[in-house]
């Protein structure tokens, strides 16, 4: 299929339909309302379900009921709305149902603002609701990647019978870019969901879809089943991208989503100035690419790790956890809806590179491997 | 030559109920209401395509007692789950079973909007004017002056407002629906309640409208009465504030 120019929100909406997710529940909130507007027009064309609910609390719970049918279901919202869905997310994870949630993040806390942010990282990756559960969380950095991840998300959700969340900052939702919807995409077969879905107790025992286990041993058992799924995700679902990572890098940036693209621009421009910087971009935020990042950080040439986020520092805690103090981890972030420019990123990088400690200077002299400018 | 008289079953457990012994207190009317729902499903041939949505409250374990598929909702959200399910599977029969704390307090938003959208679901609303499972706290339906553990001196309507009449409230919505209030404290009332529950499922089966049956119920344990005193108290006090009757029929709406 030829490339077409589409706004992120609309492209993601179309991607869900192409993946066979023709059941959508929503509540309007900036900056993702175009998803709802697009699907209000598009769903009737494909004979799907479009329903605007009275609140995000209701949306999350409609999604719970809808997912119980075994059909592909999804919703989209932005930060404050996602907070209201946390109740349902906890129940859906506990009851082991698949669904896909799109969070086009805006600045918080509270009502915050409507401009792009990455300040929902903790909520998305550490379990925003109560109980021992995780949401598989994917962060695209382009509209095309958002389309690709969305199309694959439904099969992944079904594989684990667990919610999958696509997190994009406001730019992913609002930007327009050329996208291509693959014709031969294998979105998986949801008909196998009939094995656990509520389809009516005809010729079989009645099924109960629930997260209530009053017997502590049964509840622990359920939590262990969930935990084992998350451990399997850590093995099979880790996604990341390495950008210009090589043995000349002294510094490595860790950044995700749109912020990572801005960092790529900074890296390209610094390369022209003779400064070599690599970028490690986690795509799966949970499971976090722990081993993969650690391997890059352990490279001898890496002196410093710089985490850049559109938040006051959230993912940086995962990076610190992975790096375990073997290299210094620095952080730069803007928040409130401010998107750092490549210039700001470059300035941060240069500040870290041109201020080597005395010990480092001595070490550098002795190895005489420096070919860096000043 | 002797004749063997064939045994004739004149009464049995509905197929829609399991043999599981319920956990309900002596004198509680949940068991009766469960049976009315189950009989209606049986009689209308709906069991095999029925999905119930359980509430949070005394009847949270209702799924153990029904022989049909069930979802267990968060507190108050059963109408939202039922909506999500029914919108996709409109060939199935979806019902919620909710108490007054679940439906009239924390789930007020979900029930009003489900009714107003005219979701083709059936809601069985059990009103016993108190929170049962958590041990007898004030509900939105608790009567003025009624003593509960969170209004130990009686419900003060200056502080907490007047009890909410859900059937009347939902009947004000312009969307067509079937709404009736019944009671199950006496055999006569149980027979009438059965007709209403069955009618509610008939409306859903025909795809006509949203249907809700409010059932006045006793809670001897948390009212602090014997079961027989509780039925007397219900008739004397709840009837005055919550009049029985049909509040809305779909055919009455133009």
């Amino acid at each position: 299929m030829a490339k077409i120019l589409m706004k992120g929100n609309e492209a993601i909406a179309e991607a869900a339909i192409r993946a066979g997710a023709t059941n959508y529940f929503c509540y309007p909130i900036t900056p993702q309302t175009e998803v709802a507007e697009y699907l209000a027009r598009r769903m009737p064309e494909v004979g799907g379900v479009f329903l605007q609910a009275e609140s995000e609390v209701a949306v999350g719970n409609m999604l719970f009921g809808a997912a119980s049918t075994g059909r592909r279901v999804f919703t989209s919202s932005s930060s404050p709305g996602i907070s209201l869905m946390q109740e349902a997310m906890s129940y859906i994870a506990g009851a082991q149902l698949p669904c896909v949630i799109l969070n086009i993040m805006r600045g918080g806390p509270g009502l915050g603002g409507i401009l792009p942010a990455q300040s929902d990282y903790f909520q998305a990756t550490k379990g925003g609701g109560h109980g021992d559960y995780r949401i598989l969380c994917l962060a695209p950095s382009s509209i095309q990647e958002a389309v690709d991840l969305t199309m694959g998300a439904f099969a992944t959700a079904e594989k684990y019978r667990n919610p999958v969340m696509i997190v994009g900052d406001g730019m992913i939702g609002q930007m327009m870019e050329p996208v291509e919807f693959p014709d031969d995409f294998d979105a998986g077969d949801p008909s196998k969901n009939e094995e656990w879905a509520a389809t009516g107790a005809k010729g079989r025992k009645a099924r109960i879809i629930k997260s209530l286990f009053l017997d502590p041993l049964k509840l622990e058992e359920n939590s262990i089943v969930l935990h084992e799924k998350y451990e399997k995700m850590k093995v099979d679902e880790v996604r990341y991208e390495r950008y210009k990572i090589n043995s000349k890098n002294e510094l490595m940036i860790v950044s995700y989503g749109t912020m990572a693209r801005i960092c790529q621009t900074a890296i390209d421009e610094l390369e022209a100035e003779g400064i070599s910087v690599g970028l490690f971009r986690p795509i799966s935020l949970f499971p976090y690419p722990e081993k993969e990042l650690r391997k890059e950080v352990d490279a001898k040439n890496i002196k410093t790790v710089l985490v850049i986020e559109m938040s006051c520092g959230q993912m940086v805690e995962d990076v610190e956890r992975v790096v375990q103090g073997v290299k210094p981890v620095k952080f730069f972030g803007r928040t409130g809806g401010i998107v750092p420019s490549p210039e700001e990123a470059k300035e941060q990088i240069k500040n870290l590179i041109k201020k080597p400690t005395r010990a480092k200077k001595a070490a550098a002299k002795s190895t005489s491997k420096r070919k860096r400018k000043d | 030559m002797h004749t063997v008289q064939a045994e004739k079953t004149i009464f049995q457990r509905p197929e829609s109920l399991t043999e599981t012994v319920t956990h309900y207190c002596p004198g509680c009317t949940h068991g009766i209401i469960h049976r009315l729902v189950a009989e209606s499903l049986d009689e209308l041939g709906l069991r095999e395509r029925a999905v119930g949505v359980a509430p949070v409250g005394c009847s949270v374990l209702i799924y153990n007692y029904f022989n049909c598929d069930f979802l267990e909702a968060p507190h108050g959200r059963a109408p939202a789950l039922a909506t999500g399910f029914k919108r996709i599977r409109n060939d199935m029969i979806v019902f919620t079973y909710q108490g007054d704390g679940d439906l009239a307090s924390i789930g007020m938003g979900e029930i009003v909007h489900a009714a107003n959208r005219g979701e083709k679901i059936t809601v069985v609303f059990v009103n016993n004017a108190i929170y049962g499972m958590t041990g007898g706290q004030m509900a939105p339906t608790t009567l003025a002056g009624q003593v509960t553990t969170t209004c130990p001196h009686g419900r003060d309507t200056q502080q907490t407002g007047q009890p909410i009449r859900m059937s009347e409230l939902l009947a004000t919505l312009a969307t067509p629906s079937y709404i009736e209030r019944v009671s199950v404290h006496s055999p006569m009332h149980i027979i009438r309640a059965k007709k209403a529950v069955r009618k509610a499922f008939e409306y859903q089966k025909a795809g006509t409208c949203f249907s809700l049956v409010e059932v006045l119920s006793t809670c001897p344990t948390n009212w602090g009465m014997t079961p027989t005193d509780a039925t007397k108290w219900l008739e004397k006090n709840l009837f005055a504030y919550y009049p029985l009757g049909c509040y809305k029929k779909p055919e009455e709406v133009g």
Side-chain angles (χ1 to χ4, degrees):
Chain A
M1 196 184 150
K3 285 194 173 183
I4 42 175
L5 187 66
M6 279 184 99
K7 195 171 192 174
N9 282 332
E10 299 187 340
I12 293 168
E14 181 61 29
I17 287 183
R18 302 285 177 112
T22 54
N23 305 290
Y24 173 76
F25 301 85
C26 65
Y27 187 83
I29 183 170
T30 308
Q32 63 76 50
T33 305
E34 293 88 353
V35 180
E37 290 172 336
Y38 182 87
L39 290 170
R41 293 192 305 272
R42 188 79 172 89
M43 275 304 182
E45 293 173 4
V46 297
V49 171
F50 171 92
L51 185 60
Q52 181 175 330
E54 66 270 27
S55 70
E56 288 94 345
V57 173
V59 167
N61 286 290
M62 285 176 185
L63 209 61
F64 183 179
S68 303
T69 64
R71 308 285 170 85
R72 288 189 168 163
V73 300
F74 75 112
T75 187
S76 61
S77 190
S78 182
S79 311
I82 296 291
S83 291
L84 286 176
M85 292 182 194
Q86 294 306 322
E87 170 190 66
M89 294 307 107
S90 167
Y91 278 75
I92 292 170
Q96 299 200 61
L97 295 172
C99 65
V100 173
I101 305 125
L102 170 69
N103 180 7
I104 297 295
M105 293 183 281
R106 59 188 247 184
L111 205 47
I114 59 169
L115 295 174
Q118 295 181 319
S119 44
D120 299 349
Y121 181 91
F122 286 151
Q123 185 191 57
T125 62
K126 309 298 179 192
H130 62 282
D132 266 338
Y133 80 97
R134 297 286 193 146
I135 303 286
L136 199 152
C137 185
L138 303 170
S141 73
S142 68
I143 312 294
Q144 184 65 55
E145 191 175 35
V147 163
D148 296 343
L149 292 177
T150 302
M151 288 184 76
F154 294 91
T156 307
E158 284 157 12
K159 178 179 171 188
Y160 294 97
R161 287 176 58 187
N162 198 71
V164 171
M165 184 180 280
I166 310 282
V167 294
D169 51 75
M171 286 175 73
I172 291 292
Q174 294 297 322
M175 217 166 23
M176 287 184 89
E177 284 190 316
V179 288
E180 190 172 7
F181 296 95
D183 291 323
D184 55 350
F185 188 85
D186 179 12
D189 177 15
S191 67
K192 63 182 185 306
N193 297 344
E194 303 268 314
E195 289 167 18
W196 51 259
T199 53
K202 187 175 183 178
R204 62 157 170 81
K205 279 179 67 179
R207 283 181 189 153
I208 303 164
I209 294 177
K210 66 181 176 106
S211 59
L212 175 67
F213 301 92
L214 289 174
D215 176 348
L217 287 172
K218 294 276 185 207
L219 180 56
E220 187 185 47
E221 201 176 285
N222 192 57
S223 294
I224 289 169
V225 167
L226 300 187
H227 180 73
E228 282 169 354
K229 293 198 299 190
Y230 308 140
E231 291 302 306
K232 188 167 163 45
M233 288 176 194
K234 287 179 185 175
V235 175
D236 293 341
E237 306 300 333
V238 167
R239 293 166 188 238
Y240 59 96
E241 185 194 18
R242 301 162 75 253
Y243 184 76
K244 297 194 175 174
I245 290 181
N246 60 54
S247 59
K248 285 183 264 170
N249 303 150
E250 264 188 63
L251 181 140
M252 190 168 68
I253 294 175
V254 186
S255 189
Y256 72 97
T258 307
M259 193 60 241
R261 275 175 86 178
I262 294 163
C263 290
Q264 285 181 4
T265 304
I267 287 168
D268 293 347
E269 289 177 14
L270 286 171
E271 193 175 37
E273 295 175 31
I275 301 172
S276 171
V277 176
L279 167 73
F280 186 91
R281 177 171 74 91
I283 299 171
S284 58
L285 302 184
F286 180 84
Y288 200 76
E290 296 169 5
K291 287 192 216 80
E292 296 75 9
L293 173 60
R294 180 59 191 260
K295 182 172 161 267
E296 304 301 346
V297 170
D298 279 346
K300 269 192 191 144
N301 51 297
I302 298 297
K303 303 285 186 288
T304 307
V305 178
L306 172 62
V307 180
I308 304 185
E309 295 178 65
M310 279 145 59
S311 79
C312 286
Q314 298 197 12
M315 182 181 75
V316 64
E317 292 193 7
D318 271 338
V319 176
E320 285 168 343
R321 182 171 62 82
V322 166
V323 173
Q324 293 179 310
V326 297
K327 303 276 168 77
V329 175
K330 305 290 183 185
F331 173 75
F332 174 66
R334 297 294 304 269
T335 190
I338 293 170
V339 181
S341 64
E343 286 65 35
E344 279 178 281
K346 276 160 63 180
E347 191 189 335
Q348 294 296 321
I349 295 163
K350 284 181 173 174
N351 283 346
L352 288 170
I353 286 179
K354 76 180 174 193
K355 286 181 195 162
T357 62
R358 221 167 268 171
K360 272 186 183 168
K361 272 183 189 161
K365 269 180 198 160
S366 68
T367 54
S368 71
K369 267 187 80 180
R370 285 180 74 191
K371 62 163 203 159
R372 202 179 61 217
K373 53 94 242 179
D374 254 312
Chain B
M1 191 175 162
H2 68 280
T3 56
V4 178
Q5 275 205 314
E7 282 181 27
K8 192 180 169 197
T9 304
I10 55 165
F11 192 78
Q12 63 182 355
R13 180 172 40 78
E15 200 188 351
S16 293
L17 287 181
T18 64
E19 287 181 55
T20 311
V21 176
T22 70
H23 69 286
Y24 300 120
C25 301
C28 172
T29 48
H30 269 310
I32 296 168
I33 304 164
H34 284 17
R35 186 175 175 101
L36 301 186
V37 173
E39 284 179 356
S40 300
L41 293 175
D42 278 13
E43 290 166 17
L44 298 170
L46 303 176
R47 185 191 72 84
E48 290 182 338
R49 57 187 178 108
V51 174
V53 186
V56 173
C58 285
S59 50
V60 67
L61 298 173
I62 186 173
Y63 49 72
N64 288 332
Y65 312 135
F66 270 77
N67 186 19
C68 67
D69 284 1
F70 245 95
L71 318 177
E72 166 48 41
H75 200 17
R77 317 292 179 225
L81 270 79
T83 297
F85 196 98
K86 182 78 181 190
R87 286 278 174 149
I88 297 174
R89 292 297 307 268
N90 60 12
D91 57 325
M92 290 184 68
I93 297 295
V94 183
F95 68 97
T96 73
Y97 187 104
Q98 304 174 258
D100 42 311
D102 192 85
L103 181 139
S105 187
I106 195 166
M108 179 61 99
E110 284 72 22
I111 189 61
V112 170
H113 285 277
N116 194 54
R117 285 190 303 265
E119 298 297 341
K120 309 297 184 289
I121 60 171
T122 298
V123 175
V124 180
F125 167 41
V126 180
N127 179 3
N128 60 8
I130 206 159
Y131 280 78
M133 187 176 70
T134 44
Q137 292 75 37
M138 187 185 73
T141 46
T142 296
L143 295 181
Q146 187 183 337
V147 171
T148 75
T149 62
T150 50
C151 50
H153 306 297
R155 179 173 183 168
D156 177 1
T157 56
Q158 291 297 315
Q159 297 293 325
T160 63
Q162 296 289 341
I164 298 176
R165 297 184 176 107
M166 285 308 300
S167 288
E168 289 86 334
L169 187 153
L170 294 172
T172 65
L173 300 171
T175 307
S177 64
Y178 168 64
I179 293 164
E180 180 151 357
R181 182 184 289 127
V182 297
S183 178
V184 287
H185 72 292
S186 79
M188 181 187 79
H189 288 92
I190 291 169
I191 291 165
R192 288 180 188 165
K194 166 67 186 298
K195 281 184 186 157
V197 170
R198 186 182 152 125
K199 193 187 279 183
F201 280 103
E202 282 170 351
Y203 278 124
Q204 183 177 177
K205 189 182 179 187
T208 309
C209 63
F210 172 87
S211 54
L212 177 143
V213 179
E214 175 175 349
V215 187
L216 297 183
S217 176
T218 59
C219 183
T221 301
N222 289 302
W223 289 358
M225 298 172 197
T226 63
T228 47
D229 284 349
T231 55
K232 285 177 201 150
W233 191 87
L234 182 152
E235 193 163 292
K236 188 176 171 216
N237 298 286
L238 292 188
F239 272 23
Y241 195 81
Y242 299 114
L244 303 187
C246 182
Y247 285 85
K248 195 163 185 169
K249 281 182 190 163
E251 48 269 31
E252 284 170 1
V253 181

